[in-house]
Amino acid sequence: MADIEVDYPRLYWLSFAVAGLVTLLRAVVLGLSAVTLQTLILLVVGMVVLGTALRGLRSPETSGAPTEPTPLLIVAVLAATVYSVFTLAAIV
């Protein structure tokens, strides 16, 4: 059986990049009806998360992301994935 090699730092930052994009998408969808404080906060949070994730993706090995399957990595990736899936489901 072939071993699958996983780039854990890249997986970590990629999951946060997707969560940031989903947050920005949610802010845009909410902003189409009316711009509220919630919309502005979502916009700022999405930009910060996406910007941090993109910065981490540029050099994932030196970014401080987990390099092996630690509980932090598993919880962070699962949380970002669940957040993204449920937020996309709520938008659609």
Side-chain angles (χ1 to χ4, degrees):
M1 180 153 286
D3 289 334
I4 297 174
E5 190 159 329
V6 177
D7 187 1
Y8 292 110
R10 192 168 307 279
L11 175 67
Y12 180 81
W13 290 118
L14 189 61
S15 64
F16 281 106
V18 170
L21 279 173
V22 168
T23 305
L24 285 175
L25 179 64
R26 182 174 178 205
V28 168
V29 169
L30 285 176
L32 291 176
S33 60
V35 177
T36 62
L37 181 60
Q38 178 186 3
T39 306
L40 296 175
I41 290 172
L42 281 173
L43 189 64
V44 169
V45 168
M47 289 174 21
V48 168
V49 170
L50 182 61
T52 303
L54 290 178
R55 199 172 317 124
L57 280 171
R58 283 191 203 141
S59 59
E61 292 79 20
T62 61
S63 65
T67 57
E68 53 191 46
T70 62
L72 170 68
L73 174 82
I74 294 167
V75 168
V77 170
L78 285 176
T81 303
V82 168
Y83 168 78
S84 298
V85 168
F86 280 99
T87 303
L88 282 175
I91 291 173
V92 175

